[in-house]
Amino acid sequence: MKKRWILQTKQSDFRAIGEKYEISPVAARCIVNRGVSAATEIEEYLNGTYSSISSPWLFKDMDKAVDLIQEKRGGSAAIASDFDCDGIFSAFILKKGFEVCGISGKIFTPDRIAEGYGLNRRIVDEALEWGAGFLITCDNGIAAKEEIVYARDRSLPVIVTDHHEVQGEAPRAEAVIDQKQADCHYPFKGLCGAGVAFQLISALYERFGIPASRREELLEYVAIATVADVMELQGENRILVKEGLKRLKTTENVGLRALLEVQNLTQRDIRAYDIGFVIGPCFNAAGRIDTVAKAFELLDATKKEKALVLAEQLKEINDTRKQMTEDAAAVAFEKLEKSGAPLPEVQVIYLPDCHESLAGIVAGRVRERYHHPVIVFTSVGDGLVKGSGRSIESYHMFDRLMECQDLMLRFGGHKMAAGMTLRECDLPELEKRLNENSGLQPDDFVPVLHIDVPLPVGHISERLIADLERLEPFGNGNPKPVFAEQHFKLLRAAKYGKNKNVLGMKVANIAGTVIDAVCFRNIGELEQLICEEWGEEELEKLYQGKPNQIDLGLAYYPSVDEYGGFRSLQIVVTDFCRIV
């Protein structure tokens, strides 16, 4: 999809920042472009440590929760979790933390297909039958008002830990720990469910006199959940992920070590990208199309042999999920394009045969292609449908869906994503209302590529690349920097990789600097652009390594290519355009 390139123009004394923090002015400019400009903010951004995390006691009801848990010390806790990556690691953090505090924990999860998201009466009944002294939710619970009343009516105390938006009044639990509550004074509002669970365990350890070092053992789990749940990597999230990634490389968790091994991630530093596209999807896939029990079994594994078997199973489940997603996305694209009508501002797509757990992923794929808010619905029988939505920056999906709450049987979410259940017969009405009141403008449907610095490739060096690495972890809210330069001659190109889906090129800028370039996506769009602007003959010349007329602007990220013991500079192409 064609993007609108916009050069970021935030002003500051980049040279002075660079000198103070021993980084290049280019890296300093990238930091300021991310809204980090005050001296204290830059210091935390570059050098923030675990000690910078806010006190857990700033959460509303934290003291009530800790008092109740202390009262039940020596007893047992039913941990009501979710089936996605954040829910898995939230529950695991609580279970591990409770064990250290002398509390036995058992994790209960809903059946994704039969029961759907969140706490339900079956979980409450099984928790009571097991003999739980209290029930605690994680990554869910803020909308489970009726289920919490059901539990309390049966003398089962409930603590809610969640990070989702509050709908109306908070549930009547003994304690509700969710920074999204209007009267919660915890300063950082972006924690995921695992981050909230981690802070509860931090408060418990402090109350029980357990060394802070024991808390840090849990950071790798927070990092995985934070990245996999696509939370913004700003403020405390950035620190939690940064510290967690350091520990993940040398994790003592046998199951995680096995998963890193089967995914060939043991010989290098683990980055946020690896969590978002390799590790996280394996855990998510278990809860989506198999059973979340396998994910917990892997995390609890103590024998390497057994862990490797489980890790291979999770990898295979995720591979199956990938193919199912491709098939469902193809159907969604066909539905949208077959009609020939202009795309609706908010796309409501009904895929009755899609596995309901894949609806959100498919919605994300459709959003990526068309850059519209998307909700994908699947049939769950009895005249009901479940939907999962993914939004764009200019559309607050939760707020807009709240305006249609009378159509919802179940509903929850936040600005960029939401999940819901409603009657199939109400789908046309939902689509009608969302599109009548979208508030979207034509420019909102054109994705923007923010260019950090117009940087000639002759200025790239290993020192600059090292400086840029200090800006990691990259992800939502802290995107990888983008550089650009006009007028590149493409000297030669070749496709490689198992599926010929990687394009390697030799390019030269207007100053004559020659550098290797690699493109991992949108190769077909690049070829189409070349054919439209210069003709198929010029594309053939490019692949033959012959002189040609192609002249492109490239957006890129600099990197070092290591092969056969040699290191060379290269650029990873993120976008391209015809210079006019």
Side-chain angles (χ1 to χ4, degrees), residues 158-173:
V158 180
I159 298 170
V160 170
T161 73
D162 202 348
H163 72 112
H164 292 97
E165 300 284 352
V166 183
Q167 301 178 34
E169 293 184 1
R172 293 171 53 200

Side-chain angles (χ1 to χ4, degrees), residues 20-68:
K20 181 175 180 179
Y21 294 100
E22 298 182 336
I23 56 175
S24 71
V26 170
R29 182 169 174 176
C30 292
I31 293 172
V32 173
N33 284 344
R34 277 141 191 77
V36 181
S37 56
T40 55
E41 294 174 339
I42 296 174
E43 176 64 34
E44 180 180 282
Y45 182 92
L46 288 172
N47 303 315
T49 63
Y50 176 71
S51 62
S52 304
I53 303 297
S54 300
S55 167
W57 300 105
L58 294 174
F59 273 98
K60 180 187 178 184
D61 285 0
M62 183 63 78
D63 54 342
K64 294 179 182 178
V66 172
D67 287 346
L68 189 153

Side-chain angles (χ1 to χ4, degrees), residues 124-137:
V124 173
D125 291 339
E126 290 189 5
L128 286 165
E129 184 179 346
W130 178 62
F134 67 97
L135 183 147
I136 183 167
T137 72

Side-chain angles (χ1 to χ4, degrees), residues 302-377:
T302 57
K303 302 293 185 183
K304 180 179 179 180
E305 295 76 14
K306 175 65 173 175
L308 285 171
V309 171
L310 290 167
E312 286 285 1
Q313 289 177 355
L314 256 64
K315 182 178 183 297
E316 290 170 5
I317 292 168
N318 189 45
D319 290 342
T320 299
R321 189 273 308 163
K322 289 179 183 178
Q323 188 56 55
M324 292 170 66
T325 301
E326 290 293 330
D327 296 342
V331 175
F333 295 145
E334 183 181 5
K335 282 199 169 199
L336 288 170
E337 295 166 3
K338 189 176 180 181
S339 68
L343 290 174
E345 293 177 349
V346 181
Q347 297 168 3
V348 177
I349 306 171
Y350 183 36
L351 303 178
D353 298 325
C354 174
H355 195 288
E356 68 177 69
S357 67
L358 301 181
I361 304 176
V362 175
R365 292 284 300 278
V366 176
R367 176 193 60 186
E368 184 178 331
R369 175 175 289 195
Y370 301 111
H371 203 67
H372 282 242
V374 182
I375 307 175
V376 171
F377 284 92

Side-chain angles (χ1 to χ4, degrees), residues 65-174:
V66 172
D67 287 346
L68 189 153
I69 296 169
Q70 186 174 23
E71 179 186 321
K72 303 292 183 179
R73 194 175 190 183
S76 55
I79 303 167
S81 177
D82 186 19
F83 30 61
D84 69 358
C85 199
D86 190 17
I88 290 168
F89 284 96
S90 299
F92 193 68
I93 287 168
L94 291 177
K95 185 170 181 286
K96 296 290 285 186
F98 286 163
E99 287 173 359
V100 174
C101 296
I103 299 166
S104 173
K106 183 176 180 180
I107 298 170
F108 296 82
T109 57
D111 182 294
R112 183 160 200 153
I113 304 301
E115 298 172 323
Y117 167 83
L119 182 65
N120 58 57
R121 293 189 175 195
R122 190 266 307 167
I123 290 176
V124 173
D125 291 339
E126 290 189 5
L128 286 165
E129 184 179 346
W130 178 62
F134 67 97
L135 183 147
I136 183 167
T137 72
C138 52
D139 191 33
N140 77 98
I142 200 66
K145 298 173 185 178
E146 293 181 7
E147 292 79 7
I148 289 170
V149 170
Y150 179 80
R152 294 189 67 187
D153 285 347
R154 284 149 185 78
S155 301
L156 181 62
V158 180
I159 298 170
V160 170
T161 73
D162 202 348
H163 72 112
H164 292 97
E165 300 284 352
V166 183
Q167 301 178 34
E169 293 184 1
R172 293 171 53 200
E174 271 70 18

